[in-house]
């Protein structure tokens, strides 16, 4: 299916690498203008330049999406550059893997803030600009860890499960405005977030044994799914979650 997002602007948090970078490139290829939001100027510039080299349009905006002040500033900068974006991908997130009793409160909050609070702040800043346009798309990055879990994932699973609730409630608030709100729940994808697993042969084998497809996901597969959710064809999909996990949660 040919997906044409010409005339749309997509804001992507955590767009400097990994799944965010892949979604940015896929949406740009479909014709959307891309506003990358993250903290690493050099990596953001590399992604912006790569998109431009492929004939796309992108700009980056440096900010911490857990900071209310940064989100307000970035929202202003994005609107000045591109007008009001109609696509928002809340992709930024972090994972700290350790048992609950070893967590500091600061660490727990940082995991919750990176996925959940950032999504609240970004939606509050960008959703009003989608209203009245007859089209809007919000994609929130949950995880299989929002559905099942593993030891050492209390904060991460809490944040990713909470995103499913935020998504359902916001979808109901926005459905009449033709703005869809959905989650993606990836299984294991070969990104920097997982190098600690991939570089440990025992852990790597454990992970792969849990994936019926027998492999790590490819970031491009998330890009294609994000494009589909942003297409006109997906206008009736809202308030839900799409697992993309090679079968991890099927058993
Ligand atoms: P990654 O660590 O490679 O990239 C995360 C991105 O988020 C980076 O660009 C980082 O700079 C940005 N980020 C984090 N905190 C931020 C903050 N406070 N402000 C601005 N930017 C911030 O991770 P990834 O694997 O690409 O994962 C992307 C999303 O997908 C995350 O939400 C993650 O939880 C989720 N996810 C990943 C996997 C996986 O296997 N890789 C599986 C399930 C869900």
């Amino acid at each position: 299916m040919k997906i044409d997002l010409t005339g749309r602007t997509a804001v992507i948090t955590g767009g400097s690498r990994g799944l965010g970078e892949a979604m940015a490139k896929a949406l740009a290829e479909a014709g959307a203008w891309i506003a990358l939001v993250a903290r690493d100027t050099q990596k953001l510039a590399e992604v912006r330049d790569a998109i431009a080299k492929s004939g796309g349009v992108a700009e980056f905006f440096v900010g911490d999406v857990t900071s209310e002040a940064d989100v307000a500033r970035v929202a202003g900068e994005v609107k000045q550059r591109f007008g009001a974006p109609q696509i928002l991908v809340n992709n930024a997130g972090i994972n700290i893997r350790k048992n609950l009793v070893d967590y500091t409160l600061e660490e727990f909050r940082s995991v919750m803030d990176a996925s959940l609070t950032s999504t609240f702040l970004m939606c509050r800043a960008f959703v009003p600009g989608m209203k009245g346009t007859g089209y809007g798309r919000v994609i929130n990055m949950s995880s299989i860890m929002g559905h099942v879990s593993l030891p050492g994932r209390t904060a991460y699973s809490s944040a990713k499960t909470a995103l499913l609730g935020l998504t359902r409630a916001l979808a109901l608030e926005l459905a009449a405005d033709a703005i869809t709100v959905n989650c993606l729940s990836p299984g294991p994808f070969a990104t920097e977030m997982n190098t600690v697993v991939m570089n440990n042969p025992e852990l790597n084998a454990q992970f792969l044994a849990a994936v019926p497809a027998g492999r790590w996901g490819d970031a491009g597969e998330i890009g294609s799914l994000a494009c589909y959710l942003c297409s006109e064809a997906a206008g009736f999909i809202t308030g839900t979650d799409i697992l993309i996990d090679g079968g991890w949660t099927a058993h």
Side-chain angles (χ1 to χ4, degrees):
M1 181 172 51
K2 174 92 180 104
I3 292 171
D4 185 4
L5 299 177
T6 306
R8 312 288 189 203
T9 296
V11 183
I12 300 165
T13 69
S16 61
R17 65 183 203 206
L19 304 184
E21 175 181 355
M23 288 187 280
K25 287 179 173 169
L27 294 171
E29 204 175 316
W33 291 347
I34 306 297
L36 303 158
V37 183
R39 294 164 302 183
D40 185 331
T41 306
Q42 196 187 325
K43 285 193 173 163
L44 282 165
E46 283 167 19
V47 177
R48 189 256 329 256
D49 294 347
I51 289 173
K53 209 170 163 194
S54 310
V57 175
E59 194 45 87
F60 68 83
F61 304 86
V62 180
D64 178 344
V65 290
T66 69
S67 153
E68 189 171 23
D70 278 16
V71 168
R73 173 183 49 77
V74 162
E77 291 169 1
V78 170
K79 282 172 200 164
Q80 198 170 22
R81 170 69 177 81
F82 289 118
Q86 292 170 300
I87 298 170
L88 169 61
V89 183
N90 291 304
N91 163 77
I94 62 168
N95 192 0
I96 300 174
R97 299 171 175 96
K98 52 164 77 170
N99 289 340
L100 182 144
V101 293
D102 299 322
Y103 251 92
T104 65
L105 178 58
E106 195 185 344
E107 287 170 334
F108 186 84
R109 283 186 172 144
S110 70
V111 173
M112 295 298 284
D113 283 351
S115 279
L116 183 63
T117 311
S118 66
T119 297
F120 157 71
L121 290 172
M122 290 295 290
C123 287
R124 200 181 55 172
F126 284 98
V127 158
M130 298 178 192
K131 288 193 171 187
T133 67
Y135 168 97
R137 297 287 186 267
V138 178
I139 299 176
N140 299 325
M141 288 302 273
S142 183
S143 164
I144 52 170
M145 295 297 137
H147 296 262
V148 294
S149 201
L150 284 172
R153 304 299 198 283
T154 50
Y156 190 71
S157 273
S158 299
K160 295 307 190 185
T161 306
L163 276 178
L164 300 174
L166 184 153
T167 297
R168 283 192 283 268
L170 187 60
L172 295 177
E173 290 181 22
L174 300 176
D177 288 299
I179 301 168
T180 70
V181 187
N182 292 293
C183 273
L184 293 183
S185 281
F189 279 71
T191 66
E192 246 174 272
M193 184 174 271
N194 283 323
T195 46
V196 63
V197 177
M198 291 185 291
N199 292 340
N200 176 329
E202 204 180 316
L203 271 183
N204 191 52
Q206 259 176 36
F207 259 60
L208 286 183
V211 187
R215 64 174 176 85
W216 287 85
D218 180 274
E221 293 170 307
I222 296 281
S224 307
L225 193 47
C227 275
Y228 173 67
L229 278 180
C230 292
S231 71
E232 295 291 342
F236 204 52
I237 301 175
T238 196
T240 194
D241 172 58
I242 300 178
L243 284 151
I244 170 166
D245 67 355
W248 180 301
T249 51
H251 63 94

